[in-house]
Amino acid sequence: MDDDPARDRPADRRPRREISLLARALSYLARREHSRSELARKLAPHAASDEQLNQLLDDLEAKKLLSEARFVEVLARSRGERFGAARIKQELRAHGVQPDLVRSTVNDLVKSELERARAVWQRRFGAVAPDAAGRAKQLRFLAARGFSAEVVRKVVCGSPEDE
């Protein structure tokens, strides 16, 4: 047991310093990339005004510490290994990314969707199921991952025209 009487006296404790809005923003950005709207949502309760928050976000963008394009690139690369274009599109929209940036990213992802779906399917199953129930399970798995129906069919059913 700790018998230190100083611990019981709150007057002896140093007051906790308030973290500035900039320090809080940099702390979030040091952990991972954020979209502008996501960072704004996290910082809003700590900002004195909307004007102060928007000014800070503009400054961070000007200094290239906050970049929506970089956020999209990182998210698409990390999620693209496991998920289809539809799932990534939904996630980008949920993060409040600009629609034109979402559209261009999804168009790029669609080009490689067949290869990515095959890799996910190979890691999970490795072989075409011998019965209809097994194939249905594989179809549902890939569809739930956000791959298009056409791509899922090509991967699971092994269509000859998929090359």
Side-chain angles (χ1 to χ4, degrees):
M1 299 257 183
D2 192 7
D3 294 331
D4 185 10
R7 294 192 102 186
D8 297 332
R9 287 182 279 156
D12 289 349
R13 292 187 186 163
R14 282 181 271 161
R16 208 169 162 166
R17 283 187 42 199
E18 187 62 32
I19 299 173
S20 74
L21 196 59
L22 174 62
R24 195 175 299 272
L26 292 175
S27 174
Y28 287 137
L29 291 171
R31 291 184 194 121
R32 69 171 178 85
E33 294 291 338
H34 286 70
S35 68
R36 181 182 173 106
S37 64
E38 179 184 24
L39 190 59
R41 181 184 48 79
K42 286 183 172 185
L43 293 174
H46 308 286
S49 67
D50 288 342
E51 183 179 306
Q52 177 196 23
L53 179 60
N54 287 327
Q55 181 61 45
L56 173 68
L57 294 173
D58 291 341
D59 291 346
L60 290 172
E61 283 181 335
K63 294 175 183 174
K64 306 236 186 285
L65 296 172
L66 176 64
S67 170
E68 194 117 321
R70 195 170 54 232
F71 168 76
V72 168
E73 179 184 327
V74 168
L75 189 134
R77 189 174 350 104
S78 66
R79 300 286 200 269
E81 297 171 3
R82 295 173 305 182
F83 298 109
R87 172 87 176 258
I88 295 169
K89 178 180 181 179
Q90 180 273 329
E91 194 167 340
L92 289 171
R93 285 181 174 170
H95 282 284
V97 175
Q98 301 165 1
D100 58 332
L101 200 50
V102 171
R103 195 172 18 263
S104 67
T105 302
V106 169
N107 287 340
D108 291 343
L109 287 170
V110 167
K111 295 173 186 172
S112 66
E113 189 158 8
L114 182 60
E115 297 84 36
R116 292 182 298 109
R118 277 196 180 127
V120 169
W121 176 81
Q122 186 66 39
R123 280 193 304 269
R124 173 72 175 194
F125 300 105
V128 177
D131 59 348
R135 283 190 301 278
K137 180 180 179 180
Q138 292 178 2
L139 289 166
R140 284 191 309 271
F141 173 78
L142 289 174
R145 289 287 178 114
F147 294 104
S148 71
E150 180 183 345
V151 167
V152 169
R153 182 185 48 75
K154 287 179 181 180
V155 170
V156 174
C157 299
S159 300
E161 74 273 359
D162 61 358
E163 297 302 324

